[in-house]
Amino acid sequence: MSVAVKTIYHYVASGKFPAKWYAAFCGLAVERGVMPPDQGLFTFDPLPAAAGDEAAA
């Protein structure tokens, strides 16, 4: 995967990376023997509430 430096800078400045990059970041972490990144650093969509959970909200 080739990504422009300007693109990386944009995501670093925003504090969130695209969710589609998560697997690549995890792969890099494994290669380097470090913990995978926190999912909170990525733009994952929240799961919709399950039917019947409206009362709990």
Side-chain angles (χ1 to χ4, degrees):
M1 172 169 74
S2 178
V3 180
V5 172
K6 185 176 178 180
T7 301
I8 301 288
Y9 179 79
H10 165 76
Y11 289 121
V12 169
S14 74
K16 294 280 186 175
F17 293 97
K20 67 182 181 180
W21 290 7
Y22 184 71
F25 276 57
C26 287
L28 290 170
V30 168
E31 286 178 12
R32 288 163 177 74
V34 298
M35 295 293 296
D38 184 278
Q39 289 184 357
L41 295 173
F42 298 84
T43 57
F44 289 104
D45 292 333
L47 293 174
D53 283 352
E54 294 84 21

